[in-house]
């Protein structure tokens, strides 16, 4: 029996970026390095404010007709408007695809499914391993009805996929943080392949590069666990009556919960060293740095 799970991510939309100058256009805007992307490849990326904060985050797929941006539906129209603003006279085509063309996430038993042909889905627009983290599974773009009909597995919903994503420690815009509020390093985008530090300039690049070279990122999204249900997104994470960060998305797993939280790592380390428990609402929580992360909790003496 197949253990494959799949879900139509109905909260995601696709924007097509095509035309003769599409590659140059995106390369000068987004955090990811898209030069050299071949058809069927993918990157994580973001569009930043001039101050270096995340204005939009998305996944980028290289397809036959150019590029697809896999972005939250709630802000897809705003993203399209912003791209149109930057287009000026460039030979670039911008199009928000209809709702029946969407994104299907496939996870669990995907170890032998490296491309569309393994699924028998040759007619899809894109079928890629999630560029942020292979353990997240695959993402298939195309006709939602046709792809769903061809997949052999257990249909699930967005909530099930979010539980899977949270369990792997991967934050997403809107679900874990608000746009224009945090830097790519805060969102672990540098850890998840979404920021290039070697390509040329893009919007907000100077600030992001400075944070990288100075090692000045003190806040990070990390995983949390609790034996009780967690409150809503944005709730403070407290240590000894002081806030050390805020809760992102969370999901219940029976009588317990898992979540993601943006925390001051130095203050978390200091609380741990002093034996001070962390609280979120009425729930005591444990903090875990994701397995894929290259950062760790610093020495507690670095806290303010």
């Amino acid at each position: 029996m197949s253990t494959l799970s799949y879900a139509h991510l109905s909260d995601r939309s696709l924007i097509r970026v095509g035309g003769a100058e599409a590659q140059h256009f995106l390369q000068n805007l987004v955090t990811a390095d898209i030069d050299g992307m071949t058809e069927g490849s993918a990157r994580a990326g973001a569009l930043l404010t001039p101050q270096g904060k995340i204005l939009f985050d998305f996944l980028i797929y290289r397809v036959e007709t150019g590029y697809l941006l896999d972005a939250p539906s709630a802000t897809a129209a705003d993203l399209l408007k912003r791209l149109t603003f930057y287009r000026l006279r460039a030979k670039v085509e911008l199009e928000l695809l209809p709702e029946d063309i969407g994104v299907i996430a496939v996870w669990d038993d995907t170890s032998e499914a490296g491309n569309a042909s393994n699924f028998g889905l040759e007619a899809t627009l894109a079928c890629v391993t999630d560029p942020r983290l292979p353990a997240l599974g695959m993402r298939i773009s195309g006709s939602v009805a046709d792809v769903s009909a061809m997949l052999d597995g257990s249909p699930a919903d967005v909530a099930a996929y979010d539980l899977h994503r949270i369990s792997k420690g991967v934050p997403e815009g809107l679900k874990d943080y608000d746009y224009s509020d945090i830097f790519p390093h805060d969102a672990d985008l540098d850890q998840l392949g979404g920021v290039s530090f070697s390509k040329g300039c893009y919007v907000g690049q100077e600030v992001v590069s400075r944070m990288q070279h100075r090692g000045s990122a003190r806040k990070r999204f990390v995983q949390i666990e609790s034996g009780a249900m967690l409150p809503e997104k944005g709730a403070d994470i407290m240590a000894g009556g002081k806030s050390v960060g805020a809760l992102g998305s969370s999901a219940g797993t029976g009588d317990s919960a898992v979540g993601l939280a943006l925390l001051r790592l130095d203050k978390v380390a200091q609380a741990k060293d002093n034996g001070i428990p962390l609280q979120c609402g009425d729930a005591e929580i444990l903090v875990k740095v994701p397995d894929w992360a290259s950062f760790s909790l610093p020495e507690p003496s670095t806290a303010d």
Side-chain angles (χ1 to χ4, degrees):
M1 176 179 289
S2 172
T3 59
L4 179 150
S5 297
Y6 65 91
H8 169 215
L9 302 184
S10 55
D11 57 351
R12 307 288 293 188
S13 295
L14 293 167
I15 294 173
R16 186 181 73 85
V17 183
E21 297 179 359
Q23 179 177 328
H24 179 74
F25 173 72
L26 287 175
Q27 183 73 347
N28 290 336
L29 277 183
V30 304
T31 57
D33 188 351
I34 67 166
D35 279 356
M37 284 185 71
T38 57
E39 187 174 342
S41 61
R43 299 277 193 279
L47 179 60
L48 308 182
T49 68
Q51 294 75 33
K53 294 189 176 182
I54 298 175
L55 189 59
F56 301 97
D57 68 337
F58 38 76
L59 302 181
I60 309 167
Y61 309 136
R62 185 71 169 94
V63 296
E64 183 179 0
T65 58
Y67 300 86
L68 294 179
L69 304 186
D70 170 350
S73 297
T75 53
D78 292 334
L79 173 56
L80 179 63
K81 184 177 180 179
R82 180 58 60 117
L83 293 172
T84 302
F85 172 79
Y86 279 119
R87 178 176 57 184
L88 300 176
R89 296 180 180 179
K91 297 176 182 177
V92 175
E93 303 160 0
L94 299 169
E95 174 189 13
L96 180 61
L97 298 187
E99 292 183 1
D100 59 330
I101 305 297
V103 180
I104 308 288
V106 183
W107 69 99
D108 291 337
D109 187 16
T110 61
S111 58
E112 300 301 320
N115 55 53
S117 62
N118 292 119
F119 284 121
L121 299 172
E122 293 83 355
T124 60
L125 298 175
C127 182
V128 302
T129 299
D130 195 303
R132 297 169 295 181
L133 189 70
L136 285 175
M138 303 193 72
R139 291 172 88 95
I140 304 172
S141 301
S143 165
V144 173
D146 291 346
V147 173
S148 299
M150 287 187 281
L151 286 172
D152 179 19
S154 302
D157 56 15
V158 174
Y161 176 74
D162 278 336
L163 173 58
H164 171 65
R165 176 184 59 79
I166 292 167
S167 73
K168 302 301 180 186
V170 178
E172 285 188 351
L174 301 187
K175 293 190 175 182
D176 292 289
Y177 55 88
D178 294 331
Y179 288 146
S180 300
D181 273 2
I182 69 172
F183 298 101
H185 285 78
D186 300 339
D188 300 337
L189 199 59
D190 62 312
Q191 302 278 306
L192 296 165
V195 182
S196 171
F197 298 103
S198 59
K199 77 169 192 170
C201 291
Y202 52 87
V203 178
Q205 180 262 348
E206 183 178 348
V207 177
V208 174
S209 293
R210 187 163 59 245
M211 291 184 70
Q212 174 73 7
H213 296 306
R214 292 181 178 176
S216 57
R218 294 190 293 178
K219 296 187 294 182
R220 289 283 191 179
F221 265 101
V222 294
Q223 296 170 279
I224 62 171
E225 301 174 353
S226 173
M229 292 298 98
L230 293 167
E232 295 297 314
K233 169 193 165 188
D236 284 330
I237 308 293
M238 307 294 291
K242 297 181 179 180
S243 175
V244 298
L247 178 66
S249 58
S250 62
T253 57
D255 294 331
S256 60
V258 294
L260 299 172
L262 180 60
L263 302 180
R264 273 283 301 267
L265 298 185
D266 51 356
K267 293 186 176 182
V268 170
Q270 187 177 59
K272 181 178 179 181
D273 189 60
N274 293 332
I276 300 173
L278 299 180
Q279 296 279 141
C280 186
D282 294 329
E284 184 171 329
I285 64 170
L286 298 176
V287 171
K288 176 187 175 185
V289 174
D291 295 339
W292 44 260
S294 64
F295 62 86
S296 59
L297 294 181
E299 292 300 318
S301 59
T302 62
D304 293 336

